[in-house]
Amino acid sequence: MRSQPTPFEGGPMDGRVLPILLGPTGHPPKWYEIPVPTPDGPPTVLLYERVPSGYSKRLGLQKGWKYAFRPSGTKPRPRWPWTKPPRPQDRPSTQDSPPAQD
């Protein structure tokens, strides 16, 4: 398995660089979770999100990745296409229908 030294930014891991295993596409994981044990109760989880570390000046190519601290500690929910609310033009409207005649 290949790994890449990836810097962490913000939170308790600020300034540290850890070797992170790369996936089949050559990218580190989108989210990095660090469980921190507590003496009483469940462990606290530090959440870091993968963000671009910068871009080159000339061509605007991405230089690499870094992890940015996410203080909320929650990942966003996946947005699946079948869970979207219906668009206004797809909904049946009672205002546009002609009045019923007897």
Side-chain angles (χ1 to χ4, degrees), residues 11-61:
M13 299 285 292
D14 191 24
R16 295 188 187 182
V17 178
L18 295 178
I20 305 294
L21 291 176
L22 302 178
T25 60
H27 298 290
K30 177 77 173 150
W31 298 95
Y32 194 76
E33 297 177 0
I34 304 172
V36 179
T38 56
D40 52 342
T44 305
V45 176
L46 301 175
L47 189 63
Y48 285 86
E49 181 180 12
R50 182 188 71 193
V51 294
S53 63
Y55 297 93
S56 66
K57 290 181 183 179
R58 187 170 217 169
L59 297 175
L61 301 174

Side-chain angles (χ1 to χ4, degrees), residues 3-8 16-20 22 28 50 65-67:
S3 66
Q4 170 182 342
T6 307
F8 285 77
R16 295 188 187 182
V17 178
L18 295 178
I20 305 294
L22 302 178
R50 182 188 71 193
W65 299 102
K66 65 181 175 182
Y67 282 106

